[in-house]
Amino acid sequence: MSGPRAASEPAATITTADALHQFARDVFTRLGTSAEHATTIADALVWANSRGVDSHGVTRIPRYVELIERGDVNPTPTLTARVETAATVLIEADRAPGP
């Protein structure tokens, strides 16, 4: 539908990938993840948005917040390589966020 937007629709906000990355990193840092893990999560989410896969981008942040606050995702995981072969690694992720 074209024309003026309805009064109930919020105006679109345009931001840079860097600002979006900083926002995502700040959210996860405030939830207790290390700076390194927060950066990794932000990298993955913003990268997904940059590739046009918005369903796996920053739109996931509220769900991650919910999972961390509920205790279903561990914001301070210990990652351990359990089995390594020439082509694969089995990692015990300690309920880490996906990225």
Side-chain angles (χ1 to χ4, degrees), residues 55-74:
S55 62
H56 286 67
V58 295
T59 191
R60 305 295 309 148
I61 290 175
R63 180 68 174 146
Y64 279 120
V65 169
E66 176 186 339
L67 291 170
I68 289 170
E69 288 178 343
R70 238 180 29 202
D72 292 334
V73 168
N74 182 358

Side-chain angles (χ1 to χ4, degrees), residues 8-77:
S8 62
E9 291 181 35
T13 301
I14 297 174
T15 189
T16 65
D18 288 341
L20 196 57
H21 189 275
Q22 180 67 49
F23 170 77
R25 194 171 55 227
D26 288 349
V27 167
F28 289 102
T29 300
R30 288 179 184 160
L31 287 169
T33 64
S34 68
E36 179 184 10
H37 285 162
T39 298
T40 299
I41 296 166
D43 287 347
L45 298 177
V46 173
W47 182 69
N49 284 117
S50 297
R51 290 179 40 237
V53 186
D54 293 333
S55 62
H56 286 67
V58 295
T59 191
R60 305 295 309 148
I61 290 175
R63 180 68 174 146
Y64 279 120
V65 169
E66 176 186 339
L67 291 170
I68 289 170
E69 288 178 343
R70 238 180 29 202
D72 292 334
V73 168
N74 182 358
T76 58

